[in-house]
Amino acid sequence: MTRLLLASLTLLALGACSQDAAPPAAPAASAPAPAATDQPEQVTPPASANDLFATKLDEALGGAWRSDANKTRDAWRHPKETLTFFGIAPGQTVIEITPGGGWCTEILAPWLKDSGTYVAAIAAPASSDYAKRGAEGFRAKLAGDAERYGQVQVVEFDPAAPAFGPAGSADVVLTFRNVHNWRDNAPAMFKAFFDVLKAGGTLGVVDHRAAVGTDLDADRQSGYLPQDHVIRLATEAGFQLAAQSEINANPKDTKDYEKGVWTLPPTLALGDTDREKYQAIGESDRMTLKFVKPAQ
């Protein structure tokens, strides 16, 4: 009986000890494995059409087909800034008026190739001997480099009754240093620009700028034009002045030379006379004007 009582008390004591003891620690939960992914850590967004178009302009400006002499003139003509100011966009039809020897063609044609349409508007060869020589030289330039100029469209116009294509067919018309040559025919030229542009289209004008207050009729031989005269030509044709820029300004140009604007580079009409002086001045002070054909 005594042995049975001792055994019972021992079992009770062991049970009490087991209740007081701390339970064994649970194993620590392991962190979940990262989800598998085949994506790069940083995603580079695809270049937009506008980014690619801007890159293509840089490539055209640096093209090996442009002579060193033409590239040097970029410092005075600011082609990248000027074309950007005019807002040319991918897919547009751009008409350049009387491109001359093709200084701008060397930039515009490869830039717009496969990204738009470049149209060169030249005076009809039958209109004058000068126009004939110019047309022959320009077409020879295009034919000599099909890779760059194979998509260029050429339109011939009659300077006495200008037309540059079907009405409302162009997005942009550009004219660089031409308005001073048109004299009494200038209103017809601006009207033709208006007609060929789409509603909302852009007219970009760069030309030699006369001193404020210059009388147009008294200074026709200088090659400089009053800026307000050019604005009036455009607005009378129906355009609205959208913006003006000093991109092509040159405050060193005093505009009072014996041979007018042609005294300055690149013409240097006085030859070696004061050549260094005029080269230090640089090319002419120029207005840069952006007009818009109102939306209809």
Side-chain angles (χ1 to χ4, degrees), residues 271-289:
D272 290 334
T273 303
D274 292 328
R275 187 182 189 88
E276 292 183 359
K277 168 187 172 182
Y278 297 124
Q279 286 180 324
I281 292 172
E283 296 192 18
S284 67
D285 175 53
R286 291 161 187 165
M287 66 187 88
T288 304
L289 306 173

Side-chain angles (χ1 to χ4, degrees), residues 119-134:
V119 182
I122 63 174
S127 62
S128 69
D129 289 340
Y130 179 81
K132 181 180 179 181
R133 292 193 300 272

